[in-house]
Amino acid sequence: MTPHPQTTLIKKVRATLARHAMCDQGDHILVALSGGADSMALLHILHRLAADLALSLSVAHLNHGIRGEAADRDQDFAYRAATTLTLPFYTRTVDVPSQAQQTGTGLEEAARQARHAFLHEIALSCGAGSIAVGHHKGDMAEQLLLNLLRGSGLKGLGAMDPVTRQGVIRPLLDCSRKELTTWLEAEGIDHVTDATNSDTAYTRNRVRHVLIPMLEASFNPSAVDTLARTAALMREEEAWVSDMATKHYCDCLVSEHPNHLILSTEDLSHLHPAARRRVLRRAAETLCGSTRTLTTAHIQNLTDLMDQGGSGRSVDLSRGLRGILTKEGLHLTVEDQNLRDKRPDLLAETPPFSYHLERPTPGVPCSQVIAETGDHLTFQWRQAPENPVDSRNATRVFLSPEAASFPLTIRNTRPGDRFRPEGGSGGRKLGRFLSDCNIEGPKRSQIPLVVSKEKILWVAGHRLDTSAAPPSPGGLALEIVLQRNKKG
Protein backbone atom coordinates (compact mmCIF):
# COMPACT_ATOMS: atom_id res chain seq x y z
CA MET A 1 0.00 0.00 0.00
CA THR A 2 1.43 3.39 -1.03
CA PRO A 3 1.85 5.81 1.90
CA HIS A 4 -0.41 8.85 1.85
CA PRO A 5 1.50 11.87 0.42
CA GLN A 6 0.81 13.91 3.54
CA THR A 7 2.42 11.22 5.70
CA THR A 8 5.34 10.85 3.26
CA LEU A 9 6.25 14.54 3.50
CA ILE A 10 6.23 14.56 7.30
CA LYS A 11 8.43 11.44 7.33
CA LYS A 12 10.83 13.12 4.91
CA VAL A 13 11.16 16.18 7.16
CA ARG A 14 11.62 13.98 10.21
CA ALA A 15 14.40 12.09 8.40
CA THR A 16 16.08 15.40 7.48
CA LEU A 17 15.95 16.52 11.11
CA ALA A 18 17.62 13.27 12.20
CA ARG A 19 20.23 13.05 9.41
CA HIS A 20 21.58 16.52 10.09
CA ALA A 21 21.09 16.32 13.88
CA MET A 22 18.98 19.48 13.77
CA CYS A 23 17.33 18.91 17.13
CA ASP A 24 17.28 16.73 20.20
CA GLN A 25 14.36 15.66 22.30
CA GLY A 26 13.16 18.51 24.49
CA ASP A 27 14.60 21.26 22.28
CA HIS A 28 12.93 24.65 21.95
CA ILE A 29 12.74 25.84 18.33
CA LEU A 30 11.85 29.32 17.10
CA VAL A 31 9.99 29.11 13.77
CA ALA A 32 10.52 32.04 11.38
CA LEU A 33 7.07 32.58 9.88
CA SER A 34 6.56 34.86 6.89
CA GLY A 35 3.10 33.49 6.14
CA GLY A 36 4.20 32.17 2.73
CA ALA A 37 3.68 28.58 1.63
CA ASP A 38 7.12 27.31 2.69
CA SER A 39 7.03 28.82 6.19
CA MET A 40 3.44 27.71 6.78
CA ALA A 41 4.35 24.16 5.78
CA LEU A 42 7.35 24.33 8.10
CA LEU A 43 5.24 25.53 11.02
CA HIS A 44 2.54 22.87 10.67
CA ILE A 45 4.95 19.99 9.99
CA LEU A 46 7.07 20.84 13.03
CA HIS A 47 3.89 21.25 15.10
CA ARG A 48 2.80 17.73 14.14
CA LEU A 49 6.23 16.34 14.98
CA ALA A 50 6.54 18.29 18.23
CA ALA A 51 4.79 15.85 20.53
CA ASP A 52 6.63 12.83 19.16
CA LEU A 53 10.03 14.56 19.37
CA ALA A 54 9.27 16.41 22.64
CA LEU A 55 9.85 19.75 20.95
CA SER A 56 8.52 23.11 22.11
CA LEU A 57 7.86 25.77 19.49
CA SER A 58 7.65 29.55 19.37
CA VAL A 59 6.88 31.68 16.32
CA ALA A 60 8.43 34.96 15.13
CA HIS A 61 7.49 37.33 12.30
CA LEU A 62 9.26 40.49 11.18
CA ASN A 63 7.40 43.21 9.30
CA HIS A 64 10.10 44.83 7.17
CA GLY A 65 8.13 48.01 6.59
CA ILE A 66 8.53 47.67 2.82
CA ARG A 67 5.13 46.65 1.43
CA GLY A 68 2.73 48.83 3.43
CA GLU A 69 -0.73 47.33 3.93
CA ALA A 70 0.30 44.01 2.39
CA ALA A 71 3.04 43.64 5.01
CA ASP A 72 0.57 44.49 7.80
CA ARG A 73 -1.77 41.82 6.39
CA ASP A 74 0.99 39.21 6.47
CA GLN A 75 1.87 40.20 10.03
CA ASP A 76 -1.74 39.71 11.13
CA PHE A 77 -1.93 36.40 9.24
CA ALA A 78 1.19 35.10 10.99
CA TYR A 79 -0.25 36.12 14.36
CA ARG A 80 -3.49 34.21 13.71
CA ALA A 81 -1.59 31.15 12.43
CA ALA A 82 0.50 30.97 15.61
CA THR A 83 -2.35 31.62 18.03
CA THR A 84 -4.55 29.02 16.31
CA LEU A 85 -1.88 26.48 17.27
CA THR A 86 -1.62 28.08 20.75
CA LEU A 87 2.06 28.87 20.21
CA PRO A 88 3.92 31.90 21.65
CA PHE A 89 4.18 34.63 19.00
CA TYR A 90 6.72 37.43 18.68
CA THR A 91 6.62 40.22 16.12
CA ARG A 92 8.14 43.58 15.34
CA THR A 93 7.96 46.23 12.62
CA VAL A 94 11.25 47.65 11.30
CA ASP A 95 11.79 50.44 8.80
CA VAL A 96 14.18 48.54 6.55
CA PRO A 97 14.21 51.14 3.73
CA SER A 98 15.52 53.74 6.17
CA GLN A 99 18.13 51.32 7.52
CA ALA A 100 19.27 50.51 3.98
CA GLN A 101 19.67 54.21 3.21
CA GLN A 102 21.59 54.88 6.43
CA THR A 103 24.00 51.97 5.98
CA GLY A 104 24.37 52.23 2.21
CA THR A 105 23.38 48.58 1.68
CA GLY A 106 20.86 47.21 -0.81
CA LEU A 107 17.26 46.72 0.26
CA GLU A 108 17.46 42.91 0.09
CA GLU A 109 20.65 42.81 2.16
CA ALA A 110 19.29 45.28 4.71
CA ALA A 111 16.14 43.17 5.06
CA ARG A 112 18.22 40.04 5.55
CA GLN A 113 20.34 41.71 8.22
CA ALA A 114 17.29 43.05 10.06
CA ARG A 115 15.59 39.66 9.97
CA HIS A 116 18.75 37.89 11.17
CA ALA A 117 19.16 40.29 14.10
CA PHE A 118 15.48 40.07 15.08
CA LEU A 119 15.30 36.28 15.00
CA HIS A 120 18.47 35.82 17.04
CA GLU A 121 17.33 38.39 19.59
CA ILE A 122 13.97 36.64 20.01
CA ALA A 123 15.59 33.20 20.17
CA LEU A 124 17.84 34.40 22.96
CA SER A 125 15.03 36.03 24.91
CA CYS A 126 12.63 33.07 24.69
CA GLY A 127 15.29 30.40 25.26
CA ALA A 128 15.13 28.78 21.81
CA GLY A 129 18.25 26.83 20.87
CA SER A 130 17.51 26.79 17.14
CA ILE A 131 15.83 28.98 14.54
CA ALA A 132 13.92 27.04 11.87
CA VAL A 133 13.55 28.68 8.46
CA GLY A 134 11.54 27.47 5.47
CA HIS A 135 14.19 27.19 2.75
CA HIS A 136 13.48 24.25 0.47
CA LYS A 137 15.12 22.47 -2.46
CA GLY A 138 14.17 25.22 -4.92
CA ASP A 139 15.80 27.87 -2.71
CA MET A 140 18.92 25.72 -2.63
CA ALA A 141 19.08 25.56 -6.42
CA GLU A 142 18.48 29.31 -6.73
CA GLN A 143 21.24 30.13 -4.25
CA LEU A 144 23.74 27.90 -6.03
CA LEU A 145 23.02 29.68 -9.33
CA LEU A 146 23.18 33.12 -7.72
CA ASN A 147 26.55 32.33 -6.15
CA LEU A 148 27.85 30.81 -9.37
CA LEU A 149 26.86 33.89 -11.38
CA ARG A 150 28.41 36.19 -8.78
CA GLY A 151 31.67 34.23 -8.83
CA SER A 152 32.08 31.72 -6.05
CA GLY A 153 34.26 28.93 -4.73
CA LEU A 154 33.23 25.65 -3.17
CA LYS A 155 31.59 27.23 -0.15
CA GLY A 156 29.29 29.37 -2.28
CA LEU A 157 28.44 26.42 -4.53
CA GLY A 158 27.31 24.57 -1.40
CA ALA A 159 24.53 27.21 -1.34
CA MET A 160 22.91 26.68 2.07
CA ASP A 161 24.00 24.72 5.11
CA PRO A 162 21.29 22.53 6.64
CA VAL A 163 22.58 23.65 10.06
CA THR A 164 24.64 26.81 10.64
CA ARG A 165 27.00 27.77 13.44
CA GLN A 166 24.52 30.51 14.36
CA GLY A 167 21.85 27.92 15.19
CA VAL A 168 19.73 28.20 12.03
CA ILE A 169 18.20 24.93 10.83
CA ARG A 170 16.54 24.18 7.47
CA PRO A 171 14.30 21.12 7.84
CA LEU A 172 12.70 21.47 4.37
CA LEU A 173 15.85 21.31 2.24
CA ASP A 174 14.93 17.87 0.88
CA CYS A 175 11.44 19.04 -0.12
CA SER A 176 10.41 20.67 -3.39
CA ARG A 177 8.21 23.75 -3.63
CA LYS A 178 5.54 21.65 -5.34
CA GLU A 179 5.55 19.06 -2.54
CA LEU A 180 4.98 21.79 0.05
CA THR A 181 2.15 23.55 -1.79
CA THR A 182 0.46 20.23 -2.59
CA TRP A 183 0.64 19.26 1.08
CA LEU A 184 -0.87 22.57 2.20
CA GLU A 185 -3.73 22.22 -0.27
CA ALA A 186 -4.44 18.66 0.85
CA GLU A 187 -4.43 19.74 4.51
CA GLY A 188 -6.55 22.83 3.86
CA ILE A 189 -3.91 25.15 5.28
CA ASP A 190 -3.97 28.72 3.98
CA HIS A 191 -0.95 30.82 3.20
CA VAL A 192 -0.29 34.33 1.88
CA THR A 193 1.47 35.27 -1.33
CA ASP A 194 4.02 38.06 -1.37
CA ALA A 195 3.51 39.98 -4.61
CA THR A 196 7.17 41.02 -4.65
CA ASN A 197 8.13 37.37 -5.16
CA SER A 198 6.94 37.77 -8.77
CA ASP A 199 8.81 41.04 -9.37
CA THR A 200 11.66 40.21 -11.73
CA ALA A 201 13.39 43.47 -10.84
CA TYR A 202 14.94 41.37 -8.05
CA THR A 203 17.78 39.11 -9.17
CA ARG A 204 16.59 36.11 -7.16
CA ASN A 205 13.16 36.32 -8.77
CA ARG A 206 14.69 36.39 -12.26
CA VAL A 207 16.61 33.22 -11.39
CA ARG A 208 13.40 31.63 -10.06
CA HIS A 209 10.98 32.68 -12.80
CA VAL A 210 13.25 32.97 -15.85
CA LEU A 211 16.52 31.06 -15.53
CA ILE A 212 15.38 27.87 -13.79
CA PRO A 213 12.31 27.35 -16.04
CA MET A 214 14.60 27.83 -19.06
CA LEU A 215 17.05 25.25 -17.71
CA GLU A 216 14.20 22.79 -17.07
CA ALA A 217 12.65 23.35 -20.50
CA SER A 218 15.82 23.34 -22.59
CA PHE A 219 18.41 21.29 -20.70
CA ASN A 220 17.24 19.17 -17.78
CA PRO A 221 13.65 18.70 -16.54
CA SER A 222 15.11 17.78 -13.14
CA ALA A 223 17.42 20.80 -12.97
CA VAL A 224 16.36 21.75 -9.42
CA ASP A 225 17.03 18.24 -8.08
CA THR A 226 20.36 18.11 -9.91
CA LEU A 227 21.45 21.50 -8.59
CA ALA A 228 20.43 20.57 -5.05
CA ARG A 229 22.45 17.33 -5.23
CA THR A 230 25.42 19.26 -6.58
CA ALA A 231 25.18 21.72 -3.68
CA ALA A 232 25.19 18.81 -1.20
CA LEU A 233 28.34 17.38 -2.82
CA MET A 234 30.02 20.78 -2.77
CA ARG A 235 29.30 21.12 0.98
CA GLU A 236 31.04 17.81 1.64
CA GLU A 237 34.02 18.85 -0.48
CA GLU A 238 34.09 22.20 1.29
CA ALA A 239 34.19 20.59 4.74
CA TRP A 240 37.16 18.42 3.74
CA VAL A 241 39.13 21.26 2.12
CA SER A 242 38.32 23.61 5.01
CA ASP A 243 39.98 21.25 7.48
CA MET A 244 43.17 21.31 5.41
CA ALA A 245 43.02 25.09 5.02
CA THR A 246 42.88 25.58 8.79
CA LYS A 247 46.44 24.27 9.17
CA HIS A 248 47.71 26.59 6.43
CA TYR A 249 45.99 29.55 8.09
CA CYS A 250 47.66 28.81 11.43
CA ASP A 251 51.04 28.48 9.68
CA CYS A 252 50.66 31.87 7.95
CA LEU A 253 49.27 33.78 10.93
CA VAL A 254 51.79 36.20 12.44
CA SER A 255 49.49 37.88 14.96
CA GLU A 256 45.80 38.30 15.61
CA HIS A 257 43.96 41.03 17.50
CA PRO A 258 40.38 42.33 17.45
CA ASN A 259 39.80 44.01 14.07
CA HIS A 260 43.40 43.42 12.93
CA LEU A 261 45.56 40.45 11.97
CA ILE A 262 48.82 39.95 10.09
CA LEU A 263 49.65 37.13 7.67
CA SER A 264 53.15 36.21 6.55
CA THR A 265 53.51 37.10 2.88
CA GLU A 266 56.45 34.72 2.60
CA ASP A 267 54.41 31.77 3.87
CA LEU A 268 51.47 32.79 1.69
CA SER A 269 53.68 32.94 -1.39
CA HIS A 270 54.72 29.31 -0.91
CA LEU A 271 51.12 28.04 -0.91
CA HIS A 272 49.24 26.67 -3.89
CA PRO A 273 46.99 29.48 -5.24
CA ALA A 274 43.88 27.59 -4.12
CA ALA A 275 45.25 27.20 -0.59
CA ARG A 276 46.28 30.88 -0.54
CA ARG A 277 42.74 31.94 -1.43
CA ARG A 278 41.43 29.74 1.36
CA VAL A 279 43.75 31.33 3.92
CA LEU A 280 42.77 34.85 2.84
CA ARG A 281 39.07 34.01 3.02
CA ARG A 282 39.54 32.43 6.44
CA ALA A 283 41.33 35.58 7.64
CA ALA A 284 38.49 37.77 6.38
CA GLU A 285 35.93 35.55 8.08
CA THR A 286 37.89 35.73 11.35
CA LEU A 287 37.68 39.53 11.30
CA CYS A 288 34.18 40.03 9.86
CA GLY A 289 32.39 36.96 11.20
CA SER A 290 31.18 36.18 7.68
CA THR A 291 32.34 36.23 4.08
CA ARG A 292 28.85 36.70 2.68
CA THR A 293 29.73 39.85 0.74
CA LEU A 294 33.32 38.86 -0.01
CA THR A 295 33.64 37.79 -3.64
CA THR A 296 36.29 35.87 -5.52
CA ALA A 297 37.28 39.22 -7.06
CA HIS A 298 37.97 40.63 -3.58
CA ILE A 299 40.27 37.72 -2.78
CA GLN A 300 42.02 38.22 -6.12
CA ASN A 301 42.57 41.88 -5.20
CA LEU A 302 44.45 40.77 -2.08
CA THR A 303 46.51 38.30 -4.12
CA ASP A 304 47.32 41.04 -6.65
CA LEU A 305 48.38 43.33 -3.80
CA MET A 306 50.94 40.77 -2.65
CA ASP A 307 52.14 40.08 -6.20
CA GLN A 308 52.68 43.79 -6.93
CA GLY A 309 54.66 44.25 -3.71
CA GLY A 310 55.61 47.68 -2.46
CA SER A 311 55.31 48.41 1.23
CA GLY A 312 52.48 50.78 2.10
CA ARG A 313 50.12 49.74 -0.70
CA SER A 314 46.54 48.99 0.31
CA VAL A 315 43.26 47.73 -1.13
CA ASP A 316 39.72 48.23 0.17
CA LEU A 317 37.36 45.26 0.06
CA SER A 318 33.88 44.77 1.53
CA ARG A 319 32.32 45.07 5.01
CA GLY A 320 34.91 47.67 6.03
CA LEU A 321 37.74 45.22 5.31
CA ARG A 322 41.07 46.63 4.17
CA GLY A 323 44.30 44.92 3.16
CA ILE A 324 47.61 46.73 3.72
CA LEU A 325 51.01 45.43 2.64
CA THR A 326 53.99 46.22 4.87
CA LYS A 327 57.36 44.66 5.57
CA GLU A 328 55.76 42.82 8.49
CA GLY A 329 53.34 41.06 6.16
CA LEU A 330 49.82 41.41 4.86
CA HIS A 331 47.69 43.31 7.37
CA LEU A 332 43.93 42.85 7.32
CA THR A 333 41.95 45.42 9.28
CA VAL A 334 38.26 46.12 9.79
CA GLU A 335 37.07 49.70 10.11
CA ASP A 336 33.80 50.67 11.79
CA GLN A 337 33.09 53.38 9.23
CA ASN A 338 33.09 53.93 5.48
CA LEU A 339 36.59 53.41 4.09
CA ARG A 340 36.22 56.07 1.41
CA ASP A 341 38.73 58.90 1.89
CA LYS A 342 39.91 57.32 5.16
CA ARG A 343 43.67 56.85 5.26
CA PRO A 344 44.76 53.42 6.53
CA ASP A 345 45.77 53.72 10.18
CA LEU A 346 48.86 51.59 9.61
CA LEU A 347 50.08 54.11 7.04
CA ALA A 348 49.34 57.22 9.09
CA GLU A 349 52.13 59.06 10.86
CA THR A 350 51.91 59.54 14.63
CA PRO A 351 51.83 63.28 15.39
CA PRO A 352 54.97 64.76 16.98
CA PHE A 353 55.10 64.40 20.76
CA SER A 354 57.50 65.54 23.47
CA TYR A 355 57.36 65.01 27.24
CA HIS A 356 59.78 66.02 30.00
CA LEU A 357 60.70 63.89 32.99
CA GLU A 358 62.27 65.28 36.17
CA ARG A 359 64.70 63.22 38.25
CA PRO A 360 62.80 60.36 39.98
CA THR A 361 62.85 60.27 43.79
CA PRO A 362 64.88 57.28 45.02
CA GLY A 363 62.56 54.38 45.84
CA VAL A 364 59.61 55.95 44.03
CA PRO A 365 58.91 54.86 40.45
CA CYS A 366 57.41 57.40 38.06
CA SER A 367 55.67 56.86 34.76
CA GLN A 368 55.08 58.81 31.60
CA VAL A 369 52.10 57.89 29.44
CA ILE A 370 52.42 58.75 25.76
CA ALA A 371 48.91 59.81 24.82
CA GLU A 372 49.60 59.66 21.08
CA THR A 373 50.42 55.93 21.11
CA GLY A 374 49.10 54.57 24.39
CA ASP A 375 52.60 53.34 25.37
CA HIS A 376 54.06 54.25 28.71
CA LEU A 377 57.52 54.31 30.25
CA THR A 378 58.32 53.68 33.91
CA PHE A 379 61.52 55.09 35.48
CA GLN A 380 63.09 54.26 38.84
CA TRP A 381 66.50 53.98 40.51
CA ARG A 382 67.62 50.41 41.09
CA GLN A 383 70.70 48.33 41.64
CA ALA A 384 72.21 47.29 38.30
CA PRO A 385 72.01 43.52 37.62
CA GLU A 386 75.12 41.43 38.06
CA ASN A 387 74.89 40.09 34.51
CA PRO A 388 74.84 42.63 31.66
CA VAL A 389 71.45 43.03 29.95
CA ASP A 390 71.48 43.05 26.14
CA SER A 391 69.43 46.02 24.95
CA ARG A 392 68.64 44.57 21.53
CA ASN A 393 64.82 44.60 21.22
CA ALA A 394 64.59 44.88 25.02
CA THR A 395 61.68 46.55 26.80
CA ARG A 396 63.65 46.84 30.07
CA VAL A 397 67.05 48.50 30.21
CA PHE A 398 69.47 49.98 32.78
CA LEU A 399 71.21 53.28 32.10
CA SER A 400 74.39 54.58 33.59
CA PRO A 401 73.53 57.48 35.98
CA GLU A 402 76.27 59.57 34.38
CA ALA A 403 74.50 59.39 31.02
CA ALA A 404 71.14 60.70 32.27
CA SER A 405 71.10 64.47 32.64
CA PHE A 406 67.69 65.61 33.87
CA PRO A 407 65.14 66.62 32.86
CA LEU A 408 64.98 63.84 30.27
CA THR A 409 62.95 64.32 27.11
CA ILE A 410 60.69 61.60 25.73
CA ARG A 411 59.81 62.26 22.11
CA ASN A 412 59.41 60.55 18.75
CA THR A 413 61.73 60.66 15.77
CA ARG A 414 62.77 63.84 13.97
CA PRO A 415 64.64 64.38 10.69
CA GLY A 416 68.39 64.24 11.19
CA ASP A 417 68.32 62.07 14.35
CA ARG A 418 71.51 60.07 14.89
CA PHE A 419 72.81 57.76 17.62
CA ARG A 420 75.49 55.15 18.30
CA PRO A 421 73.79 51.73 18.70
CA GLU A 422 75.18 49.63 21.55
CA GLY A 423 77.37 46.93 20.04
CA GLY A 424 77.77 48.86 16.78
CA SER A 425 80.86 50.32 15.17
CA GLY A 426 79.92 53.98 15.23
CA GLY A 427 77.27 56.63 14.78
CA ARG A 428 74.33 56.03 12.44
CA LYS A 429 71.32 57.84 11.11
CA LEU A 430 68.33 56.72 13.14
CA GLY A 431 66.22 56.28 10.00
CA ARG A 432 68.76 53.87 8.50
CA PHE A 433 68.98 51.93 11.77
CA LEU A 434 65.17 51.54 11.94
CA SER A 435 65.06 50.54 8.28
CA ASP A 436 67.56 47.78 9.00
CA CYS A 437 65.23 46.68 11.81
CA ASN A 438 62.46 46.30 9.18
CA ILE A 439 60.31 49.00 10.77
CA GLU A 440 57.94 50.74 8.37
CA GLY A 441 58.29 54.48 7.89
CA PRO A 442 54.90 55.33 9.46
CA LYS A 443 55.58 53.06 12.45
CA ARG A 444 58.88 54.77 13.21
CA SER A 445 56.99 57.82 14.45
CA GLN A 446 55.36 55.64 17.15
CA ILE A 447 58.69 54.72 18.78
CA PRO A 448 59.52 56.74 21.92
CA LEU A 449 63.07 58.03 22.25
CA VAL A 450 64.62 58.79 25.65
CA VAL A 451 66.80 61.87 25.12
CA SER A 452 69.27 63.71 27.39
CA LYS A 453 70.48 67.14 26.24
CA GLU A 454 69.54 66.37 22.63
CA LYS A 455 71.43 63.07 22.78
CA ILE A 456 69.42 59.89 22.21
CA LEU A 457 70.02 57.46 25.10
CA TRP A 458 67.49 54.78 24.18
CA VAL A 459 65.45 53.92 21.10
CA ALA A 460 62.79 52.31 23.26
CA GLY A 461 62.26 48.65 22.53
CA HIS A 462 65.19 48.50 20.11
CA ARG A 463 68.65 49.60 21.33
CA LEU A 464 70.54 51.72 23.85
CA ASP A 465 73.12 54.26 22.80
CA THR A 466 76.70 53.21 23.55
CA SER A 467 77.12 56.11 26.00
CA ALA A 468 74.17 54.97 28.12
CA ALA A 469 75.27 51.45 28.98
CA PRO A 470 76.24 49.50 30.84
CA PRO A 471 76.30 50.68 34.49
CA SER A 472 78.64 48.87 36.88
CA PRO A 473 77.17 45.55 38.13
CA GLY A 474 75.53 46.10 41.52
CA GLY A 475 75.90 49.86 41.21
CA LEU A 476 73.18 52.48 40.95
CA ALA A 477 71.32 52.48 37.63
CA LEU A 478 68.26 54.09 36.09
CA GLU A 479 65.84 51.32 35.14
CA ILE A 480 63.45 52.15 32.31
CA VAL A 481 60.61 49.80 31.37
CA LEU A 482 58.56 50.19 28.19
CA GLN A 483 55.02 48.90 28.25
CA ARG A 484 53.56 48.90 24.78
CA ASN A 485 49.94 49.59 24.00
CA LYS A 486 48.37 46.22 23.14
CA LYS A 487 45.78 47.67 20.80
CA GLY A 488 45.69 45.53 17.63
Side-chain angles (χ1 to χ4, degrees):
M1 182 176 179
T2 304
H4 195 277
Q6 286 91 305
T7 306
T8 300
L9 184 63
I10 293 176
K11 285 184 176 180
K12 180 184 286 190
V13 174
R14 180 168 184 163
T16 301
L17 289 169
R19 184 169 68 257
H20 297 290
M22 292 184 179
C23 61
D24 295 320
Q25 291 222 346
D27 279 358
H28 185 179
I29 297 176
L30 179 67
V31 181
L33 184 65
S34 67
D38 47 6
S39 69
M40 285 297 290
L42 174 68
L43 174 64
H44 283 268
I45 291 172
L46 288 180
H47 186 257
R48 297 191 186 187
L49 289 170
D52 210 19
L53 299 178
L55 302 176
S56 58
L57 305 177
S58 293
V59 181
H61 174 91
L62 183 66
N63 183 335
H64 299 87
I66 297 175
R67 297 181 294 115
E69 291 183 1
D72 297 337
R73 175 208 66 186
D74 293 355
Q75 190 174 27
D76 182 63
F77 180 87
Y79 165 74
R80 287 185 281 108
T83 53
T84 297
L85 299 176
T86 66
L87 297 175
F89 180 73
Y90 304 88
T91 190
R92 181 179 299 161
T93 299
V94 176
D95 188 353
V96 168
S98 293
Q99 290 186 357
Q101 188 173 21
Q102 291 171 6
T103 59
T105 57
L107 193 62
E108 288 180 275
E109 179 62 18
R112 187 196 70 81
Q113 291 176 2
R115 188 166 56 250
H116 181 274
F118 166 70
L119 291 172
H120 281 84
E121 177 190 333
I122 297 303
L124 184 64
S125 66
C126 74
S130 301
I131 300 169
V133 296
H135 294 134
H136 49 72
K137 193 183 295 184
D139 294 316
M140 177 77 78
E142 292 166 13
Q143 192 62 51
L144 185 155
L145 290 171
L146 284 167
N147 291 348
L148 179 64
L149 293 170
R150 188 182 66 175
S152 179
L154 276 180
K155 186 171 179 61
L157 297 182
M160 296 176 177
D161 292 320
V163 180
T164 73
R165 288 180 295 178
Q166 292 76 33
V168 174
I169 62 174
R170 297 183 168 101
L172 304 183
L173 279 188
D174 293 329
C175 307
S176 68
R177 181 180 284 110
K178 184 177 181 180
E179 283 180 297
L180 298 175
T181 54
T182 299
W183 185 82
L184 289 173
E185 289 172 6
E187 294 294 318
I189 299 172
D190 290 334
H191 65 275
V192 294
T193 301
D194 183 349
T196 62
N197 287 339
S198 301
D199 185 356
T200 53
Y202 295 102
T203 305
R204 180 176 290 276
N205 289 343
R206 290 200 299 277
V207 170
R208 178 180 301 168
H209 298 299
V210 179
L211 180 56
I212 288 181
M214 185 269 290
L215 292 175
E216 291 174 329
S218 302
F219 296 94
N220 182 354
S222 301
V224 169
D225 289 338
T226 301
L227 291 168
R229 285 198 305 273
T230 299
L233 288 172
M234 293 301 100
R235 287 196 300 275
E236 291 181 354
E237 298 280 344
E238 164 65 22
W240 176 58
V241 175
S242 182
D243 286 343
M244 293 190 292
T246 297
K247 180 183 182 303
H248 291 309
Y249 172 76
C250 294
D251 290 342
C252 292
L253 186 64
V254 175
S255 66
E256 181 180 323
H257 307 277
N259 299 326
H260 178 204
L261 59 79
I262 307 174
L263 298 172
S264 166
T265 49
E266 181 179 359
D267 290 336
L268 283 169
S269 67
H270 293 154
L271 294 178
H272 186 281
R276 187 183 311 130
R277 289 193 295 270
R278 284 280 173 163
V279 171
L280 294 173
R281 185 170 289 276
R282 168 67 180 275
E285 184 176 22
T286 298
L287 292 176
C288 301
S290 167
T291 57
R292 182 179 176 84
T293 61
L294 195 72
T295 65
T296 301
H298 288 137
I299 297 300
Q300 186 60 46
N301 287 341
L302 285 174
T303 301
D304 292 343
L305 180 67
M306 289 188 295
D307 290 343
Q308 292 164 6
S311 180
R313 300 173 65 93
S314 67
V315 61
D316 295 339
L317 307 170
S318 70
R319 298 172 65 91
L321 187 66
R322 167 176 274 153
I324 306 171
L325 192 64
T326 74
K327 289 182 180 179
E328 290 179 289
L330 178 64
H331 297 250
L332 290 177
T333 67
V334 173
E335 306 291 346
D336 58 2
Q337 55 185 289
N338 196 312
L339 291 175
R340 186 175 297 167
D341 300 326
K342 185 176 187 301
R343 183 171 170 81
D345 289 342
L346 290 172
L347 306 182
E349 297 280 352
T350 301
F353 60 82
S354 182
Y355 300 88
H356 297 287
L357 182 88
E358 298 296 336
R359 179 182 290 271
T361 302
V364 180
C366 62
S367 294
Q368 176 62 61
V369 176
I370 301 171
E372 290 79 3
T373 65
D375 296 343
H376 75 262
L377 293 163
T378 302
F379 298 77
Q380 63 178 319
W381 295 107
R382 283 188 178 275
Q383 188 178 44
E386 292 296 330
N387 297 318
V389 177
D390 189 350
S391 70
R392 296 171 190 268
N393 303 318
T395 55
R396 178 173 178 257
V397 295
F398 294 86
L399 274 67
S400 169
E402 293 77 16
S405 192
F406 293 89
L408 298 179
T409 299
I410 302 164
R411 62 170 175 84
N412 51 356
T413 57
R414 295 175 182 171
D417 277 337
R418 298 180 65 91
F419 88 127
R420 301 179 63 192
E422 180 186 15
S425 58
R428 300 189 64 188
K429 289 183 178 180
L430 181 58
R432 178 62 62 85
F433 169 78
L434 294 176
S435 176
D436 291 345
C437 293
N438 292 321
I439 298 170
E440 301 294 327
K443 285 201 165 187
R444 297 174 193 174
S445 61
Q446 301 174 10
I447 299 171
L449 308 177
V450 178
V451 180
S452 174
K453 292 183 176 181
E454 299 304 318
K455 184 174 185 177
I456 297 173
L457 300 181
W458 186 33
V459 181
H462 295 280
R463 196 81 62 87
L464 280 171
D465 185 86
T466 299
S467 66
S472 301
L476 185 66
L478 180 64
E479 179 197 56
I480 312 178
V481 177
L482 168 67
Q483 184 171 339
R484 290 191 174 100
N485 175 25
K486 294 183 179 179
K487 180 179 179 182

